[in-house]
Amino acid sequence: MCGIVGYIGPRNTQDVLIEGLSKLEYRGYDSAGIAVYTDGGLKVSKALGRLVNLENKLEGAPLVGSVGIGHTRWATHGKPSDVNSHPHTDATQKFSVVHNGIIENYLELKDELIASGVEFVSETDTEVISHLVAREYNGDIVEAVQKVIKHLRGAFALAVLTEYEPDRIVAVRHASPLIIGIGENENFIGSDIPAILKYTRNVFILNDGEMALLTRDSVKLMTIEGNEIAREMTYIEWDAITAEKGGYEHFMHKEIHEQPRAYQDTMRGRVDESGKKVVLPDFHMTDEQIKNIRNVQIIACGTAYHAGLVGRTVIERLVRIPVETDVASEYRYRSPIVTPETLVIVVSQSGETADTLAALREAQANGAHVLAITNVVGSSIARDANDVIATLAGPEIAVASTKAYTSQLIAFYLLGLYFAQVRGTQTEAQVAETLAAMQALPEQVESILTRELEAKAHAEEFSSQKHLFFIGRGLDYAAAQEGSLKLKEISYIHSEAYAAGELKHGTLALIEEGVPVIALATEQALIEKTVSNIKEVKARGGVVLTICYEEDAQELLKSVDSVFTIPKTLPLLTASLSVVALQLLSYYASLALGLDVDKPRNLAKSVTVE
Ligand code: F6R
């Protein structure tokens, strides 16, 4: 996602900041900027697009000084643009702030600031922080920041610099990572280790709720309440590549592990304070438009299409509106029937997929309101759609999509609940129950991730096979389709996903002694029927691994060869847990086969041709 760097010391600050930002480029970004305290006071330079645009700008007007902060932005609030990029300043340009994360209550704070006469220049949530710091400043930047933090809700890592105290930088971590690098007569801030690795390997890793005050020759760590903290320095032994992968061997592995955070970030600011109601602050559809929806069409490609399959069931179960799903490359050529009461939802991680973009335009040309669920706010799809729900998974680098897919599921749950609220198809208690179950998902994913070795052992067992089948019913079938695609993509094992009840209508002919079958059996209402289908497989010699809830494991083990259990959640949410297990199975199968996990053959991350 966004990247932060900060520097105070004798080197050319501009160069250190640009070098640090360049090391964060791999995370994806759409604009960059720096603020440096110069002879002429605090100066800011920012540019849309690649870092080289900022470098070109600085070539003509360098910022010379010995303290500064910098940022690469991945748009969440407001489109990518010069003005929306960081650092943000207050009206007097004396305070500058860079921020990673999301301020949930920024609209409230913004209204309050506007009422007191403050003029905003950007559409970002971050700008409220710079105005608030200026308002609270009374001669001590640490105190001002501490006061401001009390007003903020959400996730944030901050670096704050003021012209009034150019020998100090303040850094804050609250649910968004930040480290402090220690040098000799110089100190650094980085949102990620690669940003500072060239200069130092000695770091303090801030914990949530902590802040740091940096001068040239000292770093003071404290809680955000101001209590001083004593901490051992950590020595970073990673090489540059390992550092980019956050210590993981592959981006895919890292991204699988980022899912608990991606779930939280995608929900952040979209559930009201009581935790019982969905709020979608940036949503344009009026209640009347939502009430008038007659049918929904979900269009996407690949993994995003599989998220749409889950989305279909979620919307149909929660809102009782008919939903069709279509792969984008087919949609526009089948003369789709669209009316002004049709809501078209396009789903795309990159927001640039040519097939999906073309389908979006086809739907709009036919008069549909198009809602995009996308991970890239400034993408073509986000720009062209009538409404956007951003999945806040952060940049996904591995070709095989993981955290983007599960964040798309979270977006569908939120959307389904929101529509259900507006159309009254779920009671308040039902919505609250689902939201409570959603809040538990990040921890439940963590618990699956602690059992990687189990997944590895299963994957190693089937990785020598040429063919594999996935079966499931209902949402288990939707998840099975994603599991099958994941396996094909990165292990090159041929696999098919079947609705468990459909197997006997032909494909059962392929089941023979030793053929591995992964059966998903979490849909409680359908479990007995799935077991019957599992028995059909077992009778033909298939070797069955079942993904199921812990409480069903004993009973299922009477019919299957092995189980991988997942924590229990509501039936509607099950795919967001079972798929994590399937991702691990694919990852370890690919690893066992010695393949290039992050860059599978023949595939590209963003498919911009039809
Ligand atoms: C598979 C995968 C692809 C994409 C598909 C659509 O792991 O990533 O199937 O899901 O190419 O891409 P986006 O979501 O960028 O439109």
Side-chain angles (χ1 to χ4, degrees), residues 301-304 347-351 353 356 399-401 485-486 489 607:
C301 306
T303 286
V347 191
S348 174
Q349 185 285 128
S350 63
T353 301
T356 311
V399 165
S401 184
L485 178 63
K486 216 79 308 165
E489 266 181 287
V607 186

Side-chain angles (χ1 to χ4, degrees), residues 473-487:
R473 286 171 175 258
L475 283 169
D476 284 335
Y477 174 42
Q481 292 180 72
E482 174 53 11
S484 173
L485 178 63
K486 216 79 308 165
L487 187 72

Side-chain angles (χ1 to χ4, degrees), residues 297-339:
Q297 296 175 342
I298 302 176
I299 310 164
C301 306
T303 286
Y305 168 72
H306 294 150
L309 295 177
V310 175
R312 175 178 71 191
T313 302
V314 168
I315 294 173
E316 287 190 342
R317 285 191 193 170
L318 290 175
V319 201
R320 310 302 299 150
I321 309 176
V323 184
E324 299 163 80
T325 45
D326 217 337
V327 287
S329 53
E330 288 295 315
Y331 176 80
R332 59 193 290 234
Y333 301 112
R334 70 169 172 91
S335 303
I337 300 165
V338 175
T339 70

Side-chain angles (χ1 to χ4, degrees), residues 70-295:
H71 193 263
T72 41
R73 176 170 187 254
W74 167 268
T76 58
H77 293 71
K79 60 186 177 301
S81 68
D82 279 359
V83 75
N84 283 338
S85 50
H86 302 208
H88 287 284
T89 54
D90 67 309
T92 65
Q93 316 265 315
K94 303 284 187 207
F95 298 88
S96 68
V97 175
V98 291
H99 163 221
N100 285 0
I102 299 155
I103 305 301
E104 284 173 24
N105 57 334
Y106 85 101
L107 282 175
E108 231 169 84
L109 296 168
K110 189 169 177 174
D111 287 348
E112 192 192 301
L113 285 159
I114 290 173
S116 70
V118 172
E119 278 180 30
F120 277 76
V121 294
S122 79
E123 302 159 282
T124 64
D125 51 343
T126 307
E127 197 185 335
V128 298
I129 306 174
S130 44
H131 294 298
L132 286 172
V133 173
R135 189 180 77 182
E136 300 293 352
Y137 187 71
N138 205 0
D140 183 338
I141 189 63
V142 177
E143 268 178 37
V145 172
Q146 283 167 339
K147 280 188 195 154
V148 171
I149 293 169
K150 291 196 185 123
H151 298 290
L152 306 180
R153 263 204 333 266
F156 46 89
L158 305 174
V160 183
L161 176 62
T162 173
E163 181 174 314
Y164 297 122
E165 297 175 65
D167 52 348
R168 309 167 101 195
I169 320 179
V170 178
V172 183
R173 171 180 172 151
H174 179 78
S176 193
L178 206 62
I179 55 164
I180 309 297
I182 315 299
E184 238 173 72
N185 284 322
E186 58 180 356
N187 290 308
F188 305 81
I189 300 172
S191 53
D192 209 350
I193 288 163
I196 59 167
L197 207 55
K198 179 171 171 190
Y199 305 104
T200 181
R201 289 179 172 269
N202 290 319
V203 302
F204 287 126
I205 298 170
L206 292 185
N207 294 324
D208 285 342
E210 293 179 352
M211 60 190 294
L213 173 63
L214 286 79
T215 66
R216 252 172 188 249
D217 47 20
S218 72
V219 171
K220 181 176 166 190
L221 303 183
M222 55 200 135
T223 64
I224 50 182
E225 291 81 27
N227 302 319
E228 204 164 327
I229 300 168
R231 170 149 319 142
E232 293 267 304
M233 232 156 24
T234 304
Y235 183 79
I236 303 293
E237 303 205 8
W238 297 344
D239 58 34
I241 302 287
T242 313
E244 281 190 3
K245 292 178 184 156
Y248 291 95
E249 200 183 334
H250 299 102
F251 282 113
M252 181 183 179
H253 197 203
K254 175 172 180 261
E255 286 158 8
I256 288 173
H257 277 260
E258 283 172 344
Q259 290 178 113
R261 177 171 292 278
Y263 285 30
Q264 279 163 345
D265 285 347
T266 304
M267 280 187 264
R268 202 180 299 286
R270 290 168 171 164
V271 180
D272 79 351
E273 264 183 88
S274 71
K276 295 183 175 162
K277 209 174 153 201
V278 176
V279 284
L280 295 176
D282 300 329
F283 209 56
H284 296 109
M285 278 186 100
T286 61
D287 285 3
E288 200 176 321
Q289 277 176 309
I290 293 170
K291 284 180 186 154
N292 285 340
I293 299 171
R294 296 279 291 273
N295 66 318

Side-chain angles (χ1 to χ4, degrees), residues 39-50:
D39 279 351
L42 193 60
K43 292 277 181 281
V44 176
S45 186
K46 17 195 211 181
L48 177 64
R50 310 303 298 170

